[in-house]
Amino acid sequence: MGKKLFLLMALLLSATFQTARGYAQDASIEVLTDVWAPYINPQSEPMGRAAKVLDTIAAYAQVNINWRYVPYRDAALLLEKQKAHLSYPYFYTQKRAEKHYYSKPIFYLTSRLYFNRHFVSSKLANNNLESLKIAKVAGYSYGEKIDNIVTDAQQYETEEDALIALLNNEVQILPMTEGVMNNLLDTRYDEQKQLIIPVDNVKDESSLHIIASKTPEGKALIEKFDQAITMRLNGEDAQLQPTQNLQQKVDLATLVTSEGFPAILGEFTNKNGSIDYYTIPIGTKVIVLQWSSKILNPSHSDRIYKNMMETSNVVILNGPHVGKELRVKNMHIQLEP
């Protein structure tokens, strides 16, 4: 009887040890990622929105994530060469699905095509897109709809590099996820954010996923996370919205009054062809989109009254008319140093 009890206890201890050993093996999982603020923040900053979502899913899977930062195109290649098992986050593409396992959707984001209205008119961007030079980030997908538009785009290393190219007019169209573009403009290029606007009728709402190497280990990990995603959603919808130097300087200006003109008026031609006049507060910040011909070209006379009365096109950066494109008399435009 004592021998049987001893064997039973030994078997129980062995099973417990094997379970603990298996859990220890699964307790930490390395996930390749890279900075994609505000969804994946730098390692020194608080966790981004997408990272928080996956960290929560990992809790349901009873694993801990070790984040390792490498460029996304390298992460996908490392998975393809079976040098790593998981990377996150990625939009779905048929081409990538041939080389990697995809998890269930984790959440959804909207990507747009953006242009710089300092150099490109809304009419041109919205009606003649194919004539413009397009940028993209190497190794990125923006959802299959936009990917089909940017197949021959000029490639940049990072999203900020591509945005700088757009601000410098090296390219005229740039695809980017809405949240990422807003974050870049708000945190790095606040004075120019009124210049960057989306093309009207082109956007892609696509799901983000974990991808895995096409190995037994990769497949098992995706299945593990898929179970956790299902458990977390519990039938609910996953849709959640959420090193170049800048060379091109915009003409940033302050609007001021002029002798004999104590009020500043902005002109706008409405759909009926008549002119609407906006009263603009003194000290309003603007970016000059297009200087008038009498400013750009030399005059044959030293009488400058007509030059100062001519209007230049500006975009309003603050105040009650922020974002509007108006024509303002040159005498009101005072360039910032």
Side-chain angles (χ1 to χ4, degrees), residues 12 20 39 142 161 164 172 193 216 218 304:
L12 287 171
Y39 303 107
Y142 305 91
D161 285 345
I164 289 172
Q172 289 79 49
K193 69 180 183 179
I304 63 170

Side-chain angles (χ1 to χ4, degrees), residues 49 102 124 207 261 293:
R49 289 176 57 193
Y102 268 79
L124 180 60
S207 52
F261 293 87
S293 61

Side-chain angles (χ1 to χ4, degrees), residues 71-97:
Y72 286 109
R73 61 177 176 176
D74 294 300
L77 188 59
L78 285 166
L79 263 59
E80 187 180 338
K81 293 184 177 296
Q82 301 181 11
K83 302 294 185 182
H85 294 314
L86 293 178
S87 188
Y88 169 82
Y90 288 83
F91 291 116
Y92 179 89
T93 69
Q94 183 61 44
K95 183 177 180 181
R96 191 173 282 147

Side-chain angles (χ1 to χ4, degrees), residues 81-328:
K81 293 184 177 296
Q82 301 181 11
K83 302 294 185 182
H85 294 314
L86 293 178
S87 188
Y88 169 82
Y90 288 83
F91 291 116
Y92 179 89
T93 69
Q94 183 61 44
K95 183 177 180 181
R96 191 173 282 147
E98 293 171 1
K99 300 177 181 178
H100 305 91
Y101 291 119
Y102 268 79
S103 73
K104 292 181 178 179
I106 293 178
F107 62 99
Y108 290 73
L109 292 176
T110 300
S111 295
R112 305 289 297 268
L113 293 176
Y114 292 89
F115 66 96
N116 184 347
R117 58 179 169 181
H118 193 182
F119 302 108
V120 176
S121 69
S122 296
K123 182 178 180 180
L124 180 60
N126 289 312
N127 297 296
N128 201 10
L129 191 64
E130 64 279 0
S131 69
L132 300 173
K133 193 173 183 179
I134 301 175
K136 65 175 291 188
V137 179
Y140 273 35
S141 169
Y142 305 91
E144 291 191 300
K145 180 178 180 179
I146 289 181
D147 284 348
N148 289 332
I149 297 173
V150 302
T151 51
D152 298 322
Q154 182 168 318
Q155 297 191 50
Y156 290 84
E157 186 68 25
T158 68
E159 282 169 319
E160 186 168 4
D161 285 345
L163 177 56
I164 289 172
L166 187 69
L167 292 170
N168 286 341
N169 201 32
E170 295 172 18
V171 295
Q172 289 79 49
I173 296 291
L174 174 62
M176 198 173 289
T177 301
E178 283 182 332
V180 177
M181 176 62 84
N182 292 338
N183 181 74
L184 266 176
L185 292 173
D186 288 341
T187 59
R188 303 297 296 274
Y189 303 101
D190 183 63
E191 288 185 341
Q192 291 153 291
K193 69 180 183 179
Q194 295 298 333
L195 293 178
I196 307 303
I197 57 177
V199 174
D200 284 342
N201 298 316
V202 181
K203 65 179 179 179
D204 189 305
E205 187 178 87
S206 296
S207 52
L208 285 171
H209 307 254
I210 312 166
I211 62 171
S213 59
K214 280 216 166 177
T215 62
E217 294 87 349
K219 184 177 182 181
L221 287 170
I222 289 295
E223 289 173 351
K224 188 178 188 72
F225 275 98
D226 278 352
Q227 290 173 1
I229 291 167
T230 300
M231 192 185 306
R232 177 178 182 254
L233 291 176
N234 195 26
E236 296 178 0
D237 191 354
Q239 277 186 294
L240 300 174
Q241 288 299 329
T243 48
Q244 274 181 306
N245 293 320
L246 181 61
Q247 297 171 347
Q248 179 68 41
K249 298 295 184 181
V250 296
D251 287 331
L252 182 66
T254 301
L255 299 185
V256 297
T257 57
S258 183
E259 186 177 352
F261 293 87
I264 304 166
L265 294 180
E267 302 176 13
F268 178 78
T269 304
N270 61 35
K271 293 180 180 179
N272 298 324
S274 57
I275 297 177
D276 293 330
Y277 293 93
Y278 290 87
T279 301
I280 305 174
I282 299 167
T284 295
K285 299 289 186 183
V286 302
I287 290 175
V288 182
L289 299 178
Q290 180 64 47
W291 288 102
S292 71
S293 61
K294 289 187 181 296
I295 290 288
L296 291 175
N297 301 311
S299 174
H300 299 295
S301 170
D302 60 0
R303 296 182 181 182
I304 63 170
Y305 179 77
K306 289 184 177 179
N307 300 32
M308 293 298 97
M309 291 297 291
E310 201 173 55
T311 58
S312 292
N313 294 338
V314 303
V315 59
I316 307 295
L317 298 181
N318 61 350
H321 308 308
V322 62
K324 286 186 171 65
E325 290 184 30
L326 301 173
R327 297 186 301 277
V328 175

